[in-house]
Amino acid sequence: MAENDSVKPRPIVRFLAIPDDGDPYLEGHKCRSCGAIFLGSRETCSSCGTSGEIEATRLSNQGELYVYSIVHRSFPGIDVPYVSAIVDLEGGGTVKGNLINVEPDPEKIRMGMPVEVVYEIAPRKDAEGNEYLTYYFQPRS
Ligand SMILES: [Zn+2]
């Protein structure tokens, strides 16, 4: 009997794609008419108004820090401080996520710094014990 019971983690957000073979990636939707890129699918381009021309596209794992904030208060059980960031990906797509592997110190973080997307199993499972794959940003060396 084939060993086939390794359960894949689930994506923590809809725009995280986990192919059967290959690495996970962030998936955006691109307007064929004007080239605008969005997270999440939609019928009509909010940039140019064209309908039915939106296709899924694989987003880059590299980008630049657009803006961030250091979070000092959060829900119980969430370690603080952490860095909440918005990143502009190369080639298009703006994604919010946490910036890791950097001190939560404004002296260490600058707007426009090069970052990359990394994928990790989320620290918590859901109530049914399912694992989730999540993503973070970290500084590019
Ligand atoms: Zn468009």
Coordinates of all heavy atoms in Angstrom, one line a residue, residues 31 34 45 47-48, ligand 1:
C31 N -5.3 42.0 -14.4 CA -6.2 42.4 -15.5 C -5.5 42.3 -16.8 O -4.4 43.0 -16.9 CB -6.7 43.8 -15.2 SG -7.6 44.5 -16.6
C34 N -5.4 46.1 -18.5 CA -4.5 47.2 -18.1 C -3.3 46.7 -17.3 O -2.4 47.5 -17.0 CB -5.3 48.2 -17.3 SG -5.7 47.7 -15.6
C45 N -12.3 44.8 -13.2 CA -11.1 45.5 -12.8 C -11.4 46.8 -12.2 O -12.1 47.6 -12.8 CB -10.2 45.7 -14.0 SG -8.7 46.6 -13.6
S47 N -9.4 49.1 -11.6 CA -8.5 50.1 -12.1 C -9.0 50.6 -13.5 O -9.1 51.8 -13.6 CB -7.1 49.5 -12.3 OG -6.2 50.5 -12.7
C48 N -9.4 49.7 -14.4 CA -9.9 50.2 -15.7 C -11.3 49.9 -16.0 O -11.9 50.3 -17.0 CB -9.0 49.7 -16.8 SG -9.2 47.9 -17.1
Ligands
ZN1 ZN -7.8 46.7 -15.8

